[in-house]
Amino acid sequence: MTRYRDAHLGACLDVEVREGPGGTQRLRSSVALQPYPVRLTDRLEHWAREAPARTLAARRQRGGEWVRLDYAQMLARAHAIGQALAARGLSAERPVVILSGNDLEHLSLALGAMWAGVPYAPISPAYSLISQDFGKLRHIVGLLTPGLVFAADDAYGKAIRAVVDPGVEVVLGEGAIEGRSTTPFSALLDTVPGREVEAAHARVGPDTIVKFLFTSGSTRVPKAVINTQRMLCANQQMLCQSMAFLADEPPVLVDWLPWNHTFGGNHNTGITLYNGGTLYIDDGKPTVQGIAETLRNLREISPTVYFNVPKGLEEIAAAMETDEVLRTSLFRRLQAFMFAGAGLSQPVWDQLDRMAERTVGERIPMLTGLGMTETAPSCTFALRPGAVRSGHIGLPCPGVEVKLVPADGKTEIRFRGPHVMPGYWRMPEVTETAFDDEGYYCTGDAVKWIEPSDPLQGLMFDGRIAEDFKLSSGTFVSVGPLRARIVAFGAPCVQDAVITGPDRDDVGMLVFPRLDECRRLAALPETANAAEVLRHPQVRAFFQALVERLWREGTGSASRVARAHVMAEPPSIDRDEITDKGSINQRAVLRHRAALVDALYRGDGAEDILLPRRA
């Protein structure tokens, strides 16, 4: 075993590396994980005692004013809702299903369920409001067999009527569902706490299931990941030891990231609760239509740490160029940015650095790492000041055991620790295949050392092993890094790309464009349809230049894009081509659009195919 330490940068950059047979390596931080609570609600109780009037969560009313719930109020809500749920006999076999997005009722219900030891499952609103066949929602409800379903309003009525058994109680925040009796959310709040909730709370321990979080279903149907109290509490302590600034002052977050995903629902709400902070629920989104609300909130509320996906940071960076109020508010007390979900392009990164230097005289640290639904989520962080780049995932958090295993010409990263799930709910066969014979969770993610001779520089992401393929020549194509290059080079007009070419002579791509950005480039009105936008000379020239660059800068057949088609038809959530968080499912797209791929290689529809001008 070899221990590496950078004494100038702190204990988080300590790492021990142990070599194993067959090229396997094992990593861990030499810093021990400190004690953590038995229950996450212990932190709610602590802060309700220490800072009862401090705002825990706030959300804007339709009129624009913030509605706030302080720690004392939320603890009282948890007691009342916990009693209501305990009295209904709900359990892991009959959990609570939450169909709605982020709001104060959702958070109250979640903490009430957590207090009473009743598992809950936050479900992507897209499965109810966007899907046309409710296929994923039907699968989820069938798997969970809920005893109670909550929805914010009657917009969810069609989905509820389609998939929820008439015998299951439905709780609504407001409105009514035709032909269906419902319970008002206020009835849960009006419940008087009693002995049932006291007894239920006393039974809650480290192995109690807090929630079921569903995977995106990018490779198969969504799986219900069991999240226990131990997982959530251990991971929050890992975060505290990795991000020491969280102890400097109670964190303030302005956050839109959805609670049905682990980044928003575990990482960010957990940071708030664990550290006695305040979460301002942002109803904005990183889209042309939704970013205005995010910018409005950031002009008013100054976060201490800011989390977003790369597209959101891109929109904010662009807006700050001409918005001094936004720039001043965002940087006033910001201690760190963090992004996840995709790579952040270097131009956007540089732009944020430039804005920070212009506003507060120094750069704000940019953090990133690797985490997943099955690990609560955080496993590694890239924290080295001034040295973090897009694609870096860093080193293991205290308490995380990492195993690097050679696999198909790459290196798979695997995790073990108190933050790792016990398994998938009601899927024993899938659970068994998810772990190796030493109990490490097999991620399917590939990584590599930034500099093998200097482990303190950390690891970087190297794609998904299952997505990679071989050309007819036997040359191996690493899909993840190539897709990342395409998205980076194609900013801002490329949403994502699917790589084609298994058993063919060369690499191609199906590009999913950002139509709003393409319209902006061509100065076309919002009413212009996809075909009209994509055939506009300026848009066509943009994508032709992208193909030229990818061909010119490729180093061989595995990294050169030889043909491309820009998609007018967006990816379909009902065909599993895109997940609810916007991730493209490569396999599903290739399966459903096989005829289009064949045409791409035959040359059919030449007017829609882009080819590089080869020497």
Side-chain angles (χ1 to χ4, degrees):
M1 178 181 69
T2 304
R3 176 176 295 174
Y4 300 86
R5 174 173 178 148
D6 190 325
H8 298 290
L9 297 177
C12 285
L13 290 177
D14 286 19
V15 64
E16 296 175 356
V17 180
R18 183 154 50 96
E19 305 292 337
T24 297
Q25 292 180 308
R26 298 172 193 270
L27 319 178
R28 69 176 183 181
S29 171
S30 56
V31 178
L33 182 63
Q34 297 301 304
Y36 48 86
V38 171
R39 301 167 292 206
L40 194 56
T41 48
D42 291 350
R43 301 302 289 171
L44 173 62
E45 198 169 22
H46 168 82
W47 292 112
R49 182 174 61 250
E50 296 296 320
R54 182 183 300 160
T55 299
L56 166 56
R59 188 186 183 212
R60 285 192 191 274
Q61 289 180 312
R62 290 186 178 92
E65 295 299 316
W66 290 99
V67 176
R68 300 170 182 266
L69 286 174
D70 62 36
Y71 277 88
Q73 291 170 324
M74 189 61 84
L75 181 61
R77 283 190 167 208
H79 288 167
I81 293 172
Q83 172 65 35
L85 301 181
R88 285 163 167 79
L90 301 175
S91 66
E93 304 300 324
R94 299 177 61 249
V96 173
V97 163
I98 299 175
L99 299 184
S100 302
N102 303 2
D103 57 36
L104 296 176
E105 292 75 23
H106 181 153
L107 184 60
S108 300
L109 182 55
L111 289 172
M114 203 182 302
W115 187 269
V118 174
Y120 70 97
I123 309 303
S124 168
Y127 295 166
S128 298
L129 302 179
I130 297 178
S131 174
Q132 299 300 306
D133 62 9
F134 306 122
K136 288 188 176 180
L137 183 61
R138 186 173 286 105
H139 160 74
I140 288 169
V141 170
L143 179 66
L144 294 180
T145 60
L148 183 147
V149 171
F150 168 77
D153 53 46
D154 50 17
Y156 294 83
K158 183 179 178 181
I160 289 171
R161 287 194 301 268
V163 306
V164 178
D165 188 275
V168 175
E169 182 179 9
V170 174
V171 175
L172 278 187
E174 57 183 45
I177 300 175
E178 184 180 353
R180 182 84 185 230
S181 63
T182 60
T183 302
F185 180 75
S186 59
L188 304 186
L189 293 178
D190 292 340
T191 306
V192 178
R195 292 181 179 178
E196 285 171 300
V197 71
E198 291 178 8
H201 182 64
R203 291 191 295 269
V204 177
D207 294 317
T208 300
I209 299 173
V210 174
K211 65 173 81 171
F212 301 111
L213 276 183
F214 279 83
T215 62
S216 60
S218 59
T219 55
R220 51 181 67 88
V221 295
K223 302 182 291 290
V225 177
I226 299 169
N227 282 233
T228 65
Q229 291 282 356
R230 178 184 288 106
M231 289 172 63
L232 301 189
C233 294
N235 204 235
Q236 285 302 315
Q237 183 58 36
M238 293 172 185
L239 287 169
C240 284
Q241 291 181 232
S242 298
M243 302 182 189
F245 63 83
L246 292 174
D248 295 342
E249 62 178 310
V252 174
L253 278 66
V254 179
D255 192 51
W256 68 270
L257 290 159
W259 294 344
N260 58 285
H261 291 302
T262 189
F263 190 11
N266 283 354
H267 188 281
N268 295 356
T269 58
I271 281 176
T272 305
L273 182 60
Y274 202 84
N275 298 282
T278 300
L279 171 63
Y280 288 88
I281 299 171
D282 176 16
D283 286 330
K285 293 290 185 295
T287 63
V288 171
Q289 296 77 20
I291 196 65
E293 181 65 15
T294 292
L295 299 180
R296 174 194 187 192
N297 291 333
L298 288 173
R299 290 187 195 101
E300 184 174 330
I301 307 298
S302 298
T304 60
V305 56
Y306 189 68
F307 305 99
N308 213 324
V309 296
K311 179 59 179 173
L313 293 175
E314 178 185 327
E315 294 285 350
I316 292 166
M320 283 195 295
E321 291 282 4
T322 56
D323 192 330
E324 184 178 355
V325 173
L326 171 66
R327 194 168 61 244
T328 301
S329 178
L330 177 58
F331 288 117
R332 180 175 291 121
R333 52 179 175 173
L334 191 67
Q335 295 174 306
F337 285 108
M338 182 175 176
F339 70 91
L344 181 66
S345 71
Q346 197 59 47
V348 173
W349 199 313
D350 294 340
Q351 192 175 23
L352 290 169
D353 284 344
R354 188 172 66 253
M355 291 294 101
E357 290 174 335
R358 175 177 165 186
T359 308
V360 294
E362 61 181 352
R363 296 180 177 185
I364 302 300
M366 180 70 74
L367 311 180
T368 187
L370 183 64
M372 53 209 63
T373 309
E374 289 85 351
T375 60
S378 299
C379 295
T380 70
F381 277 115
L383 301 168
R384 196 173 182 131
V388 180
R389 296 290 180 269
S390 188
H392 291 191
I393 63 168
L395 294 168
C397 302
V400 177
E401 297 177 74
V402 171
K403 184 161 71 169
L404 304 181
V405 181
D408 296 327
K410 291 201 168 190
T411 299
E412 182 188 21
I413 189 168
R414 300 178 181 180
F415 297 115
R416 189 170 68 180
H419 66 310
V420 176
M421 68 168 186
Y424 300 107
W425 183 246
R426 292 175 173 169
M427 289 185 171
E429 298 85 2
V430 180
T431 296
E432 185 176 358
T433 62
F435 295 90
D436 67 16
D437 57 2
E438 294 183 299
Y440 285 85
Y441 171 65
C442 303
T443 67
D445 287 336
V447 301
K448 59 184 178 183
W449 290 106
I450 297 171
E451 175 48 67
S453 64
D454 182 11
L456 282 178
Q457 291 193 34
L459 299 163
M460 65 185 299
F461 188 68
D462 195 28
R464 290 282 298 170
I465 292 172
E467 291 181 338
D468 296 344
F469 60 85
K470 290 182 179 180
L471 296 171
S472 59
S473 63
T475 303
F476 205 71
V477 177
S478 185
V479 169
L482 180 55
R483 283 173 70 182
R485 286 175 58 223
I486 293 167
V487 173
F489 292 171
C493 293
V494 173
Q495 175 188 348
D496 209 331
V498 169
I499 309 302
T500 67
D503 301 319
R504 297 183 186 269
D505 294 340
D506 51 43
V507 171
M509 66 178 182
L510 304 180
V511 179
F512 287 103
R514 296 188 186 278
L515 283 176
D516 50 353
E517 296 290 354
C518 293
R519 287 190 185 96
R520 188 180 301 174
L521 175 66
L524 289 171
E526 291 186 10
T527 53
N529 62 37
E532 181 182 354
V533 171
L534 296 180
R535 289 182 178 175
H536 188 279
Q538 284 182 267
V539 175
R540 182 84 176 182
F542 176 91
F543 286 107
Q544 181 66 46
L546 173 62
V547 171
E548 299 287 353
R549 182 178 180 183
L550 290 167
W551 174 263
R552 184 175 63 251
E553 297 187 14
T555 56
S557 61
S559 60
R560 282 179 173 160
V561 175
R563 58 195 70 239
H565 181 100
V566 184
M567 310 294 292
E569 180 188 353
S572 165
I573 193 170
D574 286 331
R575 294 203 306 253
D576 298 327
E577 291 181 332
I578 190 170
T579 69
D580 62 303
K581 61 182 179 182
S583 300
I584 297 294
N585 180 343
Q586 167 113 353
R587 289 182 175 179
V589 171
L590 292 176
R591 182 171 64 252
H592 290 293
R593 308 196 188 208
L596 182 58
V597 174
D598 288 339
L600 177 65
Y601 282 88
R602 287 197 309 267
D604 297 352
E607 69 277 7
D608 293 322
I609 296 175
L610 298 172
L611 302 173
R613 300 182 184 91
R614 311 183 193 190

